[in-house]
Amino acid sequence: MNKALLVIIVILLLGGGAFFLLRQGPRQNITSSNDDQNETLNINNFSIPKKAAHYESNTPEHGAILAGAPVFVVINFNFDLAAPSEIIVYSSGVKNPKTGTTSPIDITSGKTTIDANKLSMRRAIIPDAPDDFYTVDYKACWADGSCHDGQFQFKIDRTQAANFVDMTGQDEVTINLRNFAFNPAKIRVSKATKVTWVNQDNVVHTVNTDSHPAHSYYPDQNSRNLSKGDTYSVTFSQPGIYPYHCTPHANTMKGQILVE
Ligand SMILES: [Cu+2]
């Protein structure tokens, strides 16, 4: 009786051991591939943004995952900017963690410019900027000649376009401002489409380009106060992503136009 029990225990132990050994092989592979992913993710993780003195906001915002290239990188301050303020954008997601090699791509077009009110600076981005992880380094300078550095990051991931209502191929489309929301909030349109917003609520809404309250990203997309029945239209001629909001309800009432 005891012998039989011993045999059973030995069989169970051997079986368990064999099972454990069989599992070890593939497990090691999974672990090492996880490590690879983590290494890549670490490079692609958003770090804490560095804010220069007098910094107020930026578009795209830090941590944004965009369905298309931003039209501009715009940074807003509460103090008058001066030369040689500069914005630099570079890709870092293409860095290979094993080899350490990078393939930096310049997605900017033209030089950094300071807006007329001197409170914002911007740099244009090419519409076909590839899907990648981007870091923005900027230097904000003041009339006394002093400068401060800042940094933030965003991602372009065109798979995000799947979350947008497809309204491409139309000359004109309508977005309703209803129940304190843009409806639909995220749309895809073709280049040169006229987008019209219609307020259907009994309260005043607005259409304002990000960031809030600078409204500087794409100034052509800033409406007057819209009462019930009022409309506002913008024709988008350049491909890219256009994040916007309603000023009285800036925290909750947001939208995005993806122009393709
Ligand atoms: Cu509103």
Side-chain angles (χ1 to χ4, degrees), residues 177 179-182 199 201 203-207 226 245-250 252-253:
L177 285 67
N179 298 327
F180 296 86
F182 296 108
N199 186 6
D201 277 345
V203 298
V204 166
H205 293 300
T206 66
V207 174
L226 303 174
H245 62 276
C246 162
T247 287
H249 314 106
T252 52
M253 201 168 162

Side-chain angles (χ1 to χ4, degrees), residues 67-105:
V71 184
F72 297 103
V73 167
V74 182
I75 312 168
N76 308 295
F77 299 86
N78 62 13
F79 199 75
D80 284 2
L81 290 159
S85 297
E86 193 176 18
I87 295 170
I88 295 165
V89 185
Y90 58 91
S91 60
S92 49
V94 288
K95 187 170 181 174
N96 183 326
K98 287 276 191 288
T99 63
T101 54
T102 53
S103 315
I105 305 157

Side-chain angles (χ1 to χ4, degrees), residues 132-158:
D132 211 330
F133 183 89
Y134 292 98
T135 298
V136 177
D137 276 343
Y138 63 88
K139 185 170 70 173
C141 304
W142 323 111
D144 67 359
S146 67
C147 298
H148 293 96
D149 292 338
Q151 187 185 76
F152 62 91
Q153 295 166 319
F154 66 88
K155 238 180 215 181
I156 301 175
D157 177 4
R158 287 177 174 80

Side-chain angles (χ1 to χ4, degrees), residues 18 87 91 114 121 145 193 198 202 205 245 248:
I87 295 170
S91 60
I114 295 171
M121 61 176 169
T193 297
V198 183
N202 284 316
H205 293 300
H245 62 276

Side-chain angles (χ1 to χ4, degrees), residues 17-82:
F19 180 70
F20 182 72
L21 282 174
L22 279 171
R23 286 200 55 127
Q24 272 303 87
R27 243 193 203 171
Q28 270 169 355
N29 285 339
I30 289 163
T31 306
S32 72
S33 88
N34 268 348
D35 284 346
D36 283 351
Q37 277 170 14
N38 286 340
E39 257 185 284
T40 312
L41 280 175
N42 284 338
I43 283 166
N44 285 322
N45 274 350
F46 292 109
S47 57
I48 295 164
K50 183 183 175 190
K51 297 173 181 179
H54 300 297
Y55 162 91
E56 289 268 290
S57 61
N58 53 261
T59 308
E61 62 183 9
H62 175 75
I65 300 172
L66 308 170
V71 184
F72 297 103
V73 167
V74 182
I75 312 168
N76 308 295
F77 299 86
N78 62 13
F79 199 75
D80 284 2
L81 290 159

Side-chain angles (χ1 to χ4, degrees), residues 20 22-23 25 27 37 66 87 92 106 119 161-162 164-165 172 202 211 217 228-230 253-255 258:
F20 182 72
L22 279 171
R23 286 200 55 127
R27 243 193 203 171
Q37 277 170 14
L66 308 170
I87 295 170
S92 49
D106 187 7
L119 294 175
F164 286 56
V165 176
E172 296 187 24
N202 284 316
S211 312
Y217 174 71
K228 188 172 189 179
D230 284 347
M253 201 168 162
K254 299 176 184 191
L258 174 60

